[in-house]
Amino acid sequence: MDIQFKYYKYEDNYFFSLLDYKDLTKVSVEEIKNRKGIIYYLNRFSPLNSRKYFTISNPSLLFIKEEGLNLIQLDEFDYRKKVAKWLLDKIDKREIACINTGYPNWKNILDKKTKDKWRVNLLALGDVGSTLAIGLKLLAGDCISEIGIYDRNINRLNRWEHELNQIKDPSCKLKLPKVLPIEKDEIFDCDMFIFSASKGVPAVGSDVKDVRMVQFESNSEIIGEYAKLARDKKFQGIFAVVSDPVDLLCKVVFLESNKDQEGNLDFHGLSSDQIIGYGLGVMNGRASYYAEQSPDSLHFLKEGRLFGPHGEGLIVADSIENYNEEISSYLTEKTINANKIIRSFGFKPYIAPSLSSGTLSIIATIKGDWFYGSTYMKEVYMGSRCRLLDTGIELEQLKLPESLFDRIQETYNRLAVII
C-alpha cells in the first residue's frame, strides 16, 4: 500500500513529506507528480546529528529515524512496495533531494544553481597544495574555470602564480584553467574551497607512529579560523578538507562554523554535507597497488571497497560479494603502513595523496562521478564511496557482510569519542 504523503509548494519549488508544514502551501499529488526535474522531500532532524541536503537514492531513506552507518548499509526491507511508482521513478533518476528543515536556514538550499564549470580556491601552496594545484591545472580544464590560490608567504604565492600560468601545451589546444592569486578576504568567493594548509608535520626519520594525529591539534586551530570565516561569508559551496587528519578536521569545521560569538551552536554556519574530507582516495590507490601484486587479491580492483579514516582505523574490504577476512586484513595493513615505506626512503609521502585524494577526487566530485570521501554520518565524518549530484551527496549503499560491518562499526565508535 502506498504511503499517504503530504504535498506542498513554495514559490516555484515542490515538496512532499510525512510532516505538517503550515508555512507552505498545500497542493494535490496530481500537481506534483507531473513535475519535471528535482522535487524535495522534507524531514526534520537535529542539525547536530544529520545533514541538511542529500540525495534520496533508495526509498528506505524516506523512512529513516536517524542517520549513521545505516546510510551505507542497504536495508533488506522492500520499501519499494510502500511508495508510488511515480516517486520510485524519480528516485531511480536521482531527482529527489531530502532537505532537513531542522536547519534554521534550510530554504537557502532552494537558491542552489548548477554550473558547468566551478571556481575553486586553494589555501596554502606547500608540498600538498602545490602538487594538487599542478594536477588541477593539467586535468581540470573541462570542469574548472579558475583556480584561485592563497598563501601567507607572498613569494610562494607569486612563484606558483607564475609557474602554473606558464604551463601550456605546444599546440595551445588544451583549455587549461587560469590561476589567479587572491586575497584572504576573497577565499570564499568560489564554488569549492580547498584547505591544504598544514602545520607540525613530523620530520622524515622521526619516531612517530601516527603522523596524522600529531598534526591534529595544530591543524585544528588553523582550520577553525577558516571555518569561522566561511560562516561570516555565508559560504554555500563545498569546504574540501585535504589536510590530515581529514575526518577529524571535517568535524572541527562543522562545529566551529556553527558557533555564535558566545560559542553556542546555532547552526547558521556550514551544513555538515557542505564539508567533505579528501583522504581516502590515496588509500584506495595504495590498496590497489598492493592488490595488483598477487593474483589472490587482484579481484579487489573491481570488487573491493574502503571505509573509515585516512589512517589508523581504515578498513579495506577485498570484496563485497565474497568478503575474505584474511586478504582484507592483509590489504588493510599494507595500505595503512604504505606511507612509512616512502618515509623509509627518506621522503615525505605527499605526491600520491595530493593527486589521488586531492586532484582526481576533487575532479570526480565536480563531475558527479563516484569517489572516496569522508561525509557526515550522524556524529562522525566517515570515509566511503560517494558522489555529489544536483540533489546532494549520494552514499553508496551495499549489503555488507556482518563481520565487515562489525569492523566498520568499531572504527565508527572510535572516531565518535575523539571529537
Side-chain angles (χ1 to χ4, degrees):
M1 180 182 294
D2 296 345
I3 294 292
Q4 298 302 306
F5 292 106
K6 299 165 186 179
Y7 304 96
Y8 303 97
K9 181 180 180 182
Y10 173 76
E11 295 180 345
D12 293 327
N13 306 286
Y14 287 84
F15 313 88
F16 69 105
S17 180
L18 291 168
L19 306 175
D20 289 316
Y21 287 93
K22 295 181 180 180
D23 58 330
L24 302 178
T25 303
K26 286 189 175 182
V27 297
S28 68
V29 63
E30 298 302 322
E31 185 172 348
I32 191 173
K33 71 186 296 186
N34 296 317
R35 173 80 172 176
K36 293 184 179 180
I38 296 174
I39 63 172
Y40 303 96
Y41 176 68
L42 302 181
N43 214 330
R44 189 182 296 120
F45 293 124
S46 164
L48 184 60
N49 295 322
S50 57
R51 303 163 293 172
K52 181 162 73 172
Y53 188 71
F54 64 90
T55 297
I56 297 294
S57 56
N58 186 292
S60 65
L61 295 174
L62 299 173
F63 306 102
I64 56 174
K65 301 300 183 183
E66 65 176 4
E67 298 180 21
L69 288 181
N70 56 323
L71 297 177
I72 60 173
Q73 173 75 293
L74 192 63
D75 198 314
E76 297 288 349
F77 185 82
D78 188 5
Y79 285 95
R80 299 184 73 88
K81 294 179 180 179
K82 302 181 68 173
V83 179
K85 184 180 183 305
W86 70 272
L87 277 175
L88 292 176
D89 290 342
K90 293 193 79 67
I91 290 173
D92 291 341
K93 293 176 183 177
R94 303 302 190 262
E95 291 183 346
I96 298 181
C98 180
I99 299 180
N100 177 7
T101 59
Y103 279 84
N105 55 0
W106 68 268
K107 286 182 181 176
N108 65 17
I109 284 291
L110 306 176
D111 298 325
K112 285 176 67 72
K113 299 289 189 298
T114 301
K115 293 184 178 181
D116 292 330
K117 289 190 176 184
W118 288 24
R119 162 73 184 259
V120 303
N121 286 346
L122 172 66
L123 169 68
L125 294 159
D127 291 336
V128 172
S130 59
T131 306
L132 193 160
I134 293 170
L136 292 180
K137 175 73 176 183
L138 290 172
L139 299 174
D142 60 341
C143 63
I144 290 178
S145 57
E146 293 179 348
I147 304 170
I149 55 173
Y150 174 75
D151 194 285
R152 293 179 180 180
N153 184 322
I154 189 64
N155 290 325
R156 185 183 294 141
L157 181 65
N158 288 335
R159 177 226 174 164
W160 283 107
E161 186 274 326
H162 281 72
E163 294 267 36
L164 292 170
N165 283 319
Q166 290 170 19
I167 297 174
K168 302 287 183 184
D169 64 298
S171 60
C172 293
K173 290 182 180 179
L174 295 178
K175 292 183 178 179
L176 306 179
K178 188 172 182 60
V179 177
L180 301 172
I182 58 175
E183 300 291 336
K184 183 177 180 179
D185 191 55
E186 303 172 301
I187 208 157
F188 287 104
D189 297 338
C190 60
D191 303 294
M192 174 186 280
F193 166 68
I194 305 170
F195 181 90
S196 63
S198 194
K199 185 179 179 182
V201 181
V204 172
S206 60
D207 186 21
V208 175
K209 290 184 178 180
D210 195 334
V211 173
R212 302 171 187 92
M213 290 306 298
V214 172
Q215 298 172 261
F216 180 44
E217 184 175 350
S218 54
N219 285 350
S220 293
E221 184 177 341
I222 300 171
I223 207 168
E225 174 188 346
Y226 288 93
K228 292 180 175 67
L229 184 58
R231 172 193 173 95
D232 293 341
K233 294 289 185 178
K234 296 180 170 57
F235 182 54
Q236 298 300 309
I238 296 296
F239 193 119
V241 180
V242 178
S243 302
D244 281 330
V246 298
D247 316 85
L248 300 179
L249 291 180
C250 284
K251 183 73 177 288
V252 171
V253 173
F254 176 51
L255 295 176
E256 292 302 314
S257 78
N258 282 291
K259 292 178 181 177
D260 62 19
Q261 292 184 343
E262 283 71 44
N264 302 309
L265 289 171
D266 62 5
F267 300 103
H268 281 281
L270 299 172
S271 60
S272 55
D273 50 282
Q274 283 182 260
I275 306 157
I276 302 175
Y278 290 85
L280 216 56
V282 71
M283 304 310 254
N284 179 57
R286 289 167 175 168
S288 298
Y289 171 80
Y290 289 109
E292 289 173 327
Q293 296 182 10
S294 170
D296 294 335
S297 54
L298 197 58
H299 58 274
F300 167 82
L301 301 181
K302 291 185 178 180
E303 301 174 21
R305 293 292 189 275
L306 287 87
F307 305 93
H310 173 61
E312 196 66 35
L314 172 76
I315 296 161
V316 179
D318 74 306
S319 172
I320 296 300
E321 297 295 329
N322 300 288
Y323 177 65
N324 183 292
E325 189 84 46
E326 183 178 353
I327 296 175
S328 296
S329 296
Y330 168 79
L331 291 176
T332 297
E333 181 182 2
K334 298 294 287 187
T335 300
I336 289 176
N337 293 310
N339 63 325
K340 297 178 183 178
I341 301 298
I342 303 300
R343 283 181 164 265
S344 73
F345 301 150
F347 299 95
K348 292 181 181 179
Y350 66 85
I351 295 176
S354 303
L355 298 174
S356 292
S357 292
T359 298
L360 295 173
S361 296
I362 285 169
I363 291 173
T365 304
I366 296 172
K367 291 184 174 182
D369 295 334
W370 291 102
F371 68 99
Y372 280 103
S374 292
T375 60
Y376 203 54
M377 302 182 195
K378 190 177 180 180
E379 56 185 342
V380 171
Y381 276 87
M382 187 80 170
S384 67
R385 200 161 177 255
C386 57
R387 60 179 175 175
L388 181 64
L389 306 176
D390 290 342
T391 45
I393 285 283
E394 176 185 355
L395 300 181
E396 183 182 46
Q397 289 190 303
L398 299 163
K399 292 182 179 179
L400 299 171
E402 184 177 354
S403 58
L404 173 58
F405 185 81
D406 289 343
R407 290 181 63 198
I408 297 172
Q409 183 71 63
E410 183 179 341
T411 285
Y412 181 93
N413 294 342
R414 185 185 304 141
L415 289 171
V417 300
I418 296 177
I419 181 172

